[in-house]
């Protein structure tokens, strides 16, 4: 299986880079933006990027399943969960966010990325995040470590939450999730050295994997926002759970990723 997984990783990396360059260059020619809600948006480049990636996968692996943000959009949270629960052990599922951080992308704020995770046996076996602004390609294969532009990466060594930087995002799925997230800020900011609100779960998780920051918590997100990032953090030596510290299923919408050392402190700060 190792050989097949590496071939899948190679295709995911190629697709993420192609799509990344496409969105970076395509932006200069103008964007068409639609509102999904008052706080969530989509551009024509999200849809075109997803089509580009989907076609590359279909050509090489026509039998593989595809779970992409723009294809699933419109499903209720329950339908989305049901779809994930239908993945069988034998299915290979490509979980694709064609632009994670769409609002940043629309505003030309340099925190957006292509995120591709692949699930087999209901586990994330490959994760790729490409940041076209910094030309950084993050890759991971289950059991084989995590890499940035081909070089191994590792989570930070911060031992105390007071020395750690934590990332988060302003949720876009509902105002209620947003209010709950904002309510956590006082204790989190008291516990940690500092906080970043980036609204690109993929880059936030990749930054934990490479030690630029020490923790990330995200609420109200989707499998396509986090699949690749979760594997990267784990393969880089970190810990990923739900916000209360319990194991994180594929259907989870809230996630906490840390360098491991400060996980308990982060769980306490998020749940007090
Ligand atoms: C968004 C980002 C952000 C999270 C939002 C997502 P999108 O993804 O991952 O970090 O807070 O909830 O919607 O919509 O730009 O792909």
């Amino acid at each position: 299986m190792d050989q097949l997984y590496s071939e899948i990783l190679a295709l995911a990396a190629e697709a993420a880079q192609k799509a990344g360059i496409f969105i970076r260059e395509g932006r200069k020619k103008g964007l068409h933006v639609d509102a999904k809600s008052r706080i969530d948006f989509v551009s024509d480049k999200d849809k075109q990027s997803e089509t580009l990636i989907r076609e590359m996968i279909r050509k090489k692996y026509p039998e593989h399943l595809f779970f992409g943000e723009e294809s699933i959009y419109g499903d209720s949270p329950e339908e989305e969960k049901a779809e994930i629960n239908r993945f069988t052990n034998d299915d290979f599922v490509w979980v694709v966010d064609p632009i994670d951080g769409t609002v940043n992308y629309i505003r030309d704020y340099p925190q957006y990325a292509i995120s591709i995770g692949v699930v087999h046996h209901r586990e994330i076996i490959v994760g790729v995040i490409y940041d076209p602004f910094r030309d950084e390609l993050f890759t991971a294969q289950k059991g084989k470590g995590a890499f940035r532009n081909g070089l191994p990466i590792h989570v930070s060594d911060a031992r105390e939450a007071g020395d750690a930087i934590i990332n988060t995002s302003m949720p876009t799925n509902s105002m209620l999730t947003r209010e709950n997230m904002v309510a956590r800020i006082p204790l989190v900011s008291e516990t940690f050295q500092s906080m970043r609100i980036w609204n690109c779960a993929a880059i936030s998780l990749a930054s934990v994997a490479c030690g630029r920051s020490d923790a990330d918590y995200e609420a109200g997100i989707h499998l396509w926002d986090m699949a690749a990032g979760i594997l990267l953090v784990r393969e880089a030596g970190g810990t990923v759970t739900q916000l209360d510290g319990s194991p994180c299923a594929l259907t989870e919408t809230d996630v906490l990723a840390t360098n491991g050392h400060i996980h308990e402190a982060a769980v306490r700060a998020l749940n007090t």
Side-chain angles (χ1 to χ4, degrees):
M1 211 46 94
D2 265 10
Q3 178 59 25
L4 175 58
Y5 287 0
S6 344
E7 283 166 20
I8 288 174
L9 173 61
L11 179 64
E14 190 190 338
Q17 279 178 300
K18 262 205 181 128
I21 292 162
F22 166 77
I23 64 160
R24 190 185 66 205
E25 299 309 310
R27 211 192 160 283
K28 298 173 188 160
K29 297 179 193 139
L31 293 180
H32 176 83
V33 178
D34 288 313
K36 288 178 168 175
S37 73
R38 189 179 73 73
I39 53 175
D40 197 12
F41 299 85
V42 60
S43 77
D44 52 346
K45 301 300 176 291
D46 291 68
K47 296 173 188 164
Q48 291 160 5
S49 169
E50 182 154 316
T51 304
L52 186 160
I53 296 167
R54 189 177 194 148
E55 279 309 300
M56 287 179 73
I57 299 164
R58 202 182 49 84
K59 259 193 204 141
K60 183 144 191 207
Y61 300 111
E63 70 286 10
H64 288 189
L65 304 183
F66 186 85
F67 189 77
E69 173 170 18
E70 306 316 330
S71 322
I72 300 297
Y73 174 67
D75 283 7
S76 67
E78 295 71 32
E79 286 167 333
E80 207 176 298
K81 231 179 198 179
E83 185 143 349
I84 295 170
N85 281 331
R86 279 196 290 274
F87 298 170
T88 70
N89 269 346
D90 292 338
D91 289 334
F92 281 90
V93 189
W94 290 69
V95 179
V96 173
D97 192 338
I99 304 181
D100 187 46
T102 296
V103 173
N104 294 338
Y105 173 72
I106 291 168
R107 302 293 299 269
D108 203 16
Y109 181 86
Q111 293 286 4
Y112 54 85
I114 313 290
S115 177
I116 304 181
V118 182
V119 170
H120 185 223
H121 292 136
R122 296 191 52 84
E123 276 185 356
I124 308 157
I125 50 111
V126 156
V128 169
I129 292 171
Y130 180 59
D131 173 345
F133 187 80
R134 295 176 187 79
D135 191 23
E136 285 188 324
L137 179 71
F138 294 91
T139 54
Q141 180 180 331
K142 194 167 186 293
K144 304 266 175 198
F147 300 83
R148 175 179 52 206
N149 292 344
L151 298 174
I153 52 173
H154 206 269
V155 291
S156 76
D157 197 35
R159 302 278 157 160
E160 304 290 335
D163 297 326
I165 297 178
I166 187 163
N167 312 321
T168 190
S169 296
M170 205 49 88
T172 55
N173 68 328
S174 77
M175 287 314 279
L176 180 64
T177 318
R178 185 175 280 198
E179 281 158 24
N180 290 336
M181 179 270 171
V182 170
R184 289 184 159 113
I185 290 183
L187 189 56
V188 171
S189 64
E190 195 182 300
T191 306
F192 285 84
Q193 181 202 96
S194 190
M195 191 171 187
R196 303 284 180 271
I197 301 183
W198 275 345
N199 274 74
C200 177
I203 290 188
S204 293
L205 289 164
S207 84
V208 175
C210 71
R212 271 182 194 149
S213 54
D214 312 289
D216 176 44
Y217 76 100
E218 304 282 339
I221 62 170
H222 306 265
L223 185 56
W224 51 76
D225 297 313
M226 59 178 151
I230 287 176
L231 185 66
L232 271 161
V233 172
R234 288 189 174 140
E235 288 297 321
T239 302
V240 184
T241 66
Q242 296 183 41
L243 301 192
D244 63 3
S246 55
C248 189
L250 291 178
T251 47
E252 201 44 56
T253 56
D254 298 350
V255 72
L256 169 66
T258 73
N259 67 0
H261 306 302
I262 57 164
H263 207 80
E264 268 181 49
V267 169
R268 264 198 309 280
L270 289 167
N271 294 282
T272 304

